[in-house]
């Protein structure tokens, strides 16, 4: 049963990606996307119901898969080499060769040895499978209408949607393989597939800016890929196995410091930690000392990215910096050797993933409707796009305020870093900056424009996924304890405590949250209802023109002393002169690079 589910979740999306690429008929493509989306959702729920398990692959099939995956891994390096020549990028060409040579030599060294227990489904895998196979398909369904509108606005003569959806399906299959594979060579392959997919999605529109950002993403992620394959080679030279579960249970951890540092470096590039954050920003066009240093780098990324988000007017760049910031917090929590920190990291992965998916889709909807992603152009959005504005506001609130769980993870982060004052200070600083830019974001979404008219049109495949993701964001916070009981506690017990004790999450929640989420949400809902009633009872019955030190001319305008006529309005503070993005990015990249050098210095000492 589990084997068939694995085929459905990994192989089926990849095969249908090839079909969608070859068959350009829109109706056929839509049917394929809807069918795969449904299968992935159902398969994820079924595979979670079966519980933790190893899936073994023996004999000829195992050998064939090893050779196929090796050949495909080599092909990805060759594709990158091709684009290195096409873009005339010596750096990309060198990185492609630097990954290709050790990849081939390593497989020759191990004689294409496989792993019988090819896949391992543990509770961490289950958490990721829920995220990938619920949110991912909803995004794919949303894109059915979005891409149609996107190409209409671009006035394309030939549709490229088959490339887009083929890449999305390939991405979903690769992500499922990545979170379940127990063969570290297979993990490297799926990792590189996601790199290729990111490159293709970023460069999808084929504009000069899109191609430049796609090239940057490929270079940075291939740099991480080189670190990944070198880390694999180091690991095998120490423990003589490529099975992940055997590597994780190896007794002498000290011999794995260098290879693990290389894997951490690869993870930093993929998760856009400073100084490797630029590729994710570009995507918006479309022993303990080592752990402490990694946590410090993550915390620095959390604070620095949140600070840079304050100066942004581009809504997608705000979301991008927020994503980089939260990825930094995840890295920090993962590197703190504490079960509470691991709990918070696992919870943040889910909560952030759901809320941020909702926000990106809402901003995309707003951009299509008004032709701009500039926050200052969004006055009156709640009147023009009421449902979208409501869902975007809800998404931002879920990232910022209690009783939503994202705030709980930051609280836990501050608690568990009390013995690491620099890290704790950075988390506090980053949290303060987070409040600032989210407050501005929400303020614009709720702004009023008396002349705005409703332009929102509702499509089931458009607003439907947005509403479902919003409900999921609400449910995951309300039922944090139940979610923890089912997934996070068993993961922490088995991976960190060597036990299957299922009572741990109750301690986690009660110790740090201090409240029962459903009751907190109920009280919050009642308070909001009372505020709404009072507002509607007390609010003025007519719109009063603002007085701005001059005579009102009507229609929300006023005369200045120089007799010029201006529209009344308000703008957010962005502190662009103080928080200069270019200068701050250079400074923060320099600091982060120095921290990385110190990290490797600690290891090699």
């Amino acid at each position: 049963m589990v084997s068939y589910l694995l085929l459905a979740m990994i192989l089926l999306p990849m095969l249908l990606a090839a079909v969608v690429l070859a068959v350009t008929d829109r109706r056929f493509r839509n049917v394929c996307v809807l069918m795969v989306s449904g299968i992935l959702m159902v398969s994820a729920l079924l595979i979670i119901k079966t519980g933790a398990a190893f899936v073994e692959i023996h004999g000829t099939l195992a050998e064939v898969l090893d050779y196929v995956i090796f050949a495909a891994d080599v092909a990805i390096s060759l594709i990158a080499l091709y684009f290195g020549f096409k873009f005339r990028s010596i750096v990309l060409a060198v990185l492609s060769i630097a990954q290709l040579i050790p990849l081939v030599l390593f497989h020759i060294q191990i004689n294409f040895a496989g792993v019988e227990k090819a896949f391992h489904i543990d509770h961490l895998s289950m958490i990721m499978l829920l995220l990938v196979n619920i949110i991912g398909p909803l995004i794919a369904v949303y894109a059915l209408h979005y891409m149609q509108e996107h190409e209409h606005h671009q006035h394309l003569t030939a549709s490229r949607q088959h490339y887009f959806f083929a890449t999305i399906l390939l991405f979903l299959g690769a992500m499922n393989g990545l979170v379940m594979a127990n063969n570290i060579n297979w993990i490297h392959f799926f990792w590189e597939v996601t790199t290729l997919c990111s490159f293709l999605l970023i460069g999808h529109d084929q504009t000069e800016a899109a191609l430049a950002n796609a090239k940057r993403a490929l270079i940075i992620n291939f740099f991480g890929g080189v670190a990944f394959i070198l880390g694999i080679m180091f690991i095998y030279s120490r423990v003589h196995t490529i099975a992940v579960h055997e590597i994780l249970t190896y007794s002498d951890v000290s011999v794995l410091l260098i290879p693990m540092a290389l894997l951490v470096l690869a993870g930093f590039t993929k998760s856009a930690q400073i100084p490797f954050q630029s590729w994710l920003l570009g995507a918006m066009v479309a022993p303990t000392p080592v752990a402490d240093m990694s946590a410090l780098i993550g915390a620095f990324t959390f604070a620095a990215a949140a600070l840079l988000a304050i100066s942004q007017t581009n809504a997608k760049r705000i979301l991008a910096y927020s994503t980089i910031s939260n990825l930094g917090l995840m890295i920090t929590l993962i590197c703190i050797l504490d079960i509470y920190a691991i709990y918070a990291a696992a919870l943040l992965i889910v909560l952030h993933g759901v809320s941020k998916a909702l926000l990106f889709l809402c901003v995309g909807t707003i951009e299509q409707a008004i032709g701009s992603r500039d926050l200052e152009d969004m006055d009156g959005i709640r009147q023009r796009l009421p449902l979208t504005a409501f869902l975007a506001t809800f998404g931002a609130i879920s990232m910022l305020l209690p009783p939503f769980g994202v705030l709980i993870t930051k609280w836990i982060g501050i608690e568990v870093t009390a013995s690491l004052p620099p890290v704790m200070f950075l988390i506090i600083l980053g949290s303060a900056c987070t409040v600032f830019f989210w407050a501005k974001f929400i303020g614009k979404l709720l702004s009023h424009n008396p002349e705005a008219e409703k332009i929102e049109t509702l499509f089931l495949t458009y607003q439907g996924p947005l509403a479902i993701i919003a409900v999921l964001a609400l449910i995951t916070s309300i039922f944090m304890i139940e979610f923890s009981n089912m997934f996070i506690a068993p993961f922490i017990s088995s991976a960190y405590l060597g036990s299957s004790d299922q009572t741990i999450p109750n301690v986690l929640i009660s110790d740090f949250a201090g409240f029962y989420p459903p009751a907190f949400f109920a009280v919050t809902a009642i308070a909001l209802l009372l505020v709404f009633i009072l507002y509607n009872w007390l609010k003025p019955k007519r719109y009063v023109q603002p007085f701005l030190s001059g005579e009102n001319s009507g229609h929300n305008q006023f005369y200045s002393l120089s007799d010029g006529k201006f529209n009344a309005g308000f703008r957010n503070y962005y502190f662009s002169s103080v928080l200069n993005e270019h200068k701050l990015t250079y400074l923060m990249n320099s600091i982060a690079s120095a921290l990385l050098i110190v990290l490797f210095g600690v290891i090699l000492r």
Side-chain angles (χ1 to χ4, degrees), residues 28-107:
F28 176 80
R29 179 174 59 247
N30 290 353
V31 169
C32 287
V33 171
L34 291 171
M35 179 184 70
V36 172
S37 298
I39 290 174
L40 288 178
M41 290 181 180
V42 173
S43 297
L45 295 174
L46 290 175
I47 207 167
I48 288 169
K49 185 179 179 181
T50 62
F54 283 99
V55 179
E56 298 185 4
I57 298 179
H58 305 278
T60 304
L61 178 59
E63 293 180 7
V64 170
L65 285 176
D66 279 327
Y67 279 103
V68 168
I69 288 178
F70 166 71
D73 214 349
V74 169
I76 293 174
S77 293
L78 293 176
I79 290 171
L81 182 61
Y82 163 76
F83 281 108
F85 287 120
K86 181 178 180 179
F87 293 141
R88 299 180 181 178
S89 172
I90 297 175
V91 175
L92 180 55
V94 169
L95 287 173
S96 305
I97 296 171
Q99 182 170 175
L100 178 61
I101 293 175
L103 178 67
V104 173
L105 293 177
F106 180 62
H107 278 79

Side-chain angles (χ1 to χ4, degrees), residues 237-296:
S237 68
R238 300 292 196 274
V239 301
H240 306 292
T241 182
I242 55 173
V244 175
H245 75 286
E246 294 177 3
I247 296 169
L248 293 176
T249 56
Y250 191 71
S251 57
D252 188 1
V253 179
S254 61
V255 303
L256 296 176
L257 286 178
I258 294 177
M260 286 304 175
L262 289 168
L263 294 183
V264 166
L265 180 60
F268 280 175
T269 63
K270 186 69 78 174
S271 60
Q273 299 299 285
I274 294 176
F276 307 112
Q277 81 282 7
S278 61
W279 78 264
L280 185 55
L281 291 170
M284 294 310 107
V285 294
T288 305
V290 175
D292 287 352
M293 282 304 304
S294 297
L296 181 61

Side-chain angles (χ1 to χ4, degrees), residues 432-451:
C433 294
T434 295
V435 172
F436 197 99
F437 72 75
W438 278 130
K440 293 194 302 177
F441 190 92
I442 294 170
K444 273 297 179 181
L445 292 175
L446 297 179
S447 63
H448 178 78
N449 184 343
E451 299 177 358

Side-chain angles (χ1 to χ4, degrees), residues 332-483:
T332 302
L333 293 169
I334 290 169
C335 294
I336 301 295
L337 303 181
D338 185 284
I339 62 169
Y340 296 101
I342 300 301
Y343 163 76
L347 190 62
L348 182 58
I349 288 172
V350 176
L351 298 173
H352 173 264
V354 175
S355 296
K356 194 53 65 67
L358 175 63
L359 284 163
F360 270 114
L361 296 185
C362 286
V363 169
T365 302
I366 293 171
E367 182 185 3
Q368 275 197 348
I370 68 174
S372 173
R373 59 180 66 169
D374 193 313
L375 207 58
E376 294 302 324
D377 293 334
M378 295 185 186
D379 286 334
I381 281 295
R382 69 183 178 92
Q383 297 153 267
R384 303 171 72 183
L385 305 169
L387 177 60
T388 304
F390 170 78
L391 294 176
T393 302
F394 173 80
I397 289 174
S398 70
M399 291 289 298
L400 176 64
L401 298 176
F404 292 95
V406 173
L407 182 66
I408 303 302
T409 63
K410 295 175 184 177
W411 178 8
I412 294 175
I414 294 171
E415 291 272 0
V416 298
T417 56
S419 60
L420 297 170
V423 176
M424 183 176 69
F425 169 76
L426 288 170
I427 293 177
I428 294 172
L429 175 62
S431 298
C433 294
T434 295
V435 172
F436 197 99
F437 72 75
W438 278 130
K440 293 194 302 177
F441 190 92
I442 294 170
K444 273 297 179 181
L445 292 175
L446 297 179
S447 63
H448 178 78
N449 184 343
E451 299 177 358
E453 296 180 358
K454 184 178 179 180
I455 59 173
E456 188 170 52
T457 54
L458 301 178
F459 294 92
L460 182 61
T461 59
Y462 213 30
Q463 272 77 18
L466 296 181
I468 294 173
I469 295 174
V471 171
L472 290 175
L474 181 63
I475 289 174
T476 50
S477 285
I478 292 177
F479 299 104
M480 275 189 292
I481 293 179
E482 290 76 9
F483 181 82

